[in-house]
Amino acid sequence: MLRISLSLLAALGLVVSAIALAATDHTVTEKGKKFSEKKLTIQAGDSITFVNDDNITHNVYSKKVNQFDTGAQKPGASDRIVFKNKGKQKVRCAIHPKMKMTVVVE
Ligand SMILES: [Cu+2]
């Protein structure tokens, strides 16, 4: 019985590491009305968690049509966006037009 449970645990561990290898979650913070990265290159399937680390409301959206828009993002809030399609995306904050970054999905 113990032996079965151990192999089951090992199998589960393998599945978990396979998922971890397949996709990475990157973090970009918004602080001082700036994104923490000017340009971030990721792999298709990866995600980016955008964290509002400011004391004002921000927004994160892609200028590429039909991609993503977090809506109003209050201080302390975060949104995880999965990037499935390869290509370059200009990411902006609708409230502060000077907040700019580029995400390159390879
Ligand atoms: Cu903003």
Side-chain angles (χ1 to χ4, degrees):
M1 192 63 177
L2 180 66
R3 184 174 294 219
I4 292 166
S5 308
L6 282 176
S7 11
L8 197 70
L9 273 179
L12 276 174
L14 281 178
V15 169
V16 170
S17 5
I19 291 168
L21 275 178
T24 305
D25 183 44
H26 307 263
T27 300
V28 169
T29 57
E30 298 136 46
K31 198 169 176 68
K33 292 189 188 174
K34 280 179 184 164
F35 290 111
S36 57
E37 307 277 349
K38 271 211 172 317
K39 187 178 177 182
L40 186 62
T41 302
I42 64 173
Q43 302 298 308
D46 283 3
S47 56
I48 301 177
T49 298
F50 292 94
V51 184
N52 184 351
D53 203 12
D54 252 331
N55 52 10
I56 49 173
T57 299
H58 287 299
N59 156 263
V60 187
Y61 77 99
S62 172
K63 285 188 84 178
K64 210 171 190 175
V65 286
N66 294 328
Q67 293 300 317
F68 68 92
D69 188 331
T70 64
Q73 201 186 47
K74 295 217 160 100
S78 65
D79 289 280
R80 182 171 165 265
I81 309 293
V82 179
F83 292 79
K84 289 179 184 157
N85 305 319
K86 293 183 182 187
K88 200 184 270 188
Q89 292 196 39
K90 290 175 178 175
V91 174
R92 300 288 185 266
C93 167
I95 302 165
H96 310 102
K98 284 182 179 170
M99 286 177 67
K100 296 176 179 181
M101 79 169 282
T102 302
V103 175
V104 180
V105 187
E106 293 185 329

